[in-house]
Amino acid sequence: MGDNDDSKVFIGKKKAMAYVMAAMVVLNEGPVKLLARGRSISRAVDVAEITIHKFVKGSHYGEIKIGTEALENADGISNVSSIEIEILPAKK
Amino acid sequence: MGDNDDSKVFIGKKKAMAYVMAAMVVLNEGPVKLLARGRSISRAVDVAEITIHKFVKGSHYGEIKIGTEALENADGISNVSSIEIEILPAKK
């Protein structure tokens, strides 16, 4: 599986376990990237830790990137922090 | 400056700018580590982005680590996600 949208899980306002499940499905095939913005960043970190330590034995962190995205809303453009957490499956 | 507490900034519930100021003071001497737990993780990412892009020209990310800490509270022990974001000063 390449770097397409299928290998990305966008973290929003649902409970962490919903995203853990989605991440597990992707990890079964290859690496997964968890993407989150603003307040959801804390949840993305929770999802990563739960996935790695509780559900997918041997999975581990790949690259962790931090950035800023410009979001357009009613008040104009605002800058929001973002995170991209890569999780790699267990080595075979 | 070594890896002592002076080079760490613990991110809590204050406004991001308070921590940006603290990080800038440390960065003036050497690398700084931003530490945060739980909901404050999002704020730590904001602090890092603001420090790097708006205040300290040439500073850049070092290692970014994610983990889990066991916290004792009234209900017993609960696990909380944590992040450690290293920021390195501009190369001289």
Side-chain angles (χ1 to χ4, degrees), chain A residues 38 42 46 49 61 66-68 81, chain B residues 38 42 46 49 61 66-68 81:
Chain A
S42 309
D46 288 341
E49 282 288 297
Y61 287 106
I66 287 173
T68 298
S81 300
Chain B
S42 310
D46 288 342
E49 282 288 298
Y61 287 107
I66 287 174
T68 298
S81 300

Side-chain angles (χ1 to χ4, degrees), chain A residues 38-42 45-46 49 53-54 61 64 66-68 79 81-83 85, chain B residues 38-42 45-46 49 53-54 61 64 66-68 79 81-83 85:
Chain A
R39 297 282 213 93
S40 300
I41 289 174
S42 309
V45 171
D46 288 341
E49 282 288 297
H53 297 299
K54 298 216 169 138
Y61 287 106
I64 301 171
I66 287 173
T68 298
N79 290 318
S81 300
S82 65
I83 199 166
I85 304 171
Chain B
R39 296 283 212 92
S40 301
I41 289 174
S42 310
V45 170
D46 288 342
E49 282 288 298
H53 298 299
K54 299 216 167 137
Y61 287 107
I64 301 171
I66 287 174
T68 298
N79 289 318
S81 300
S82 64
I83 200 166
I85 303 172

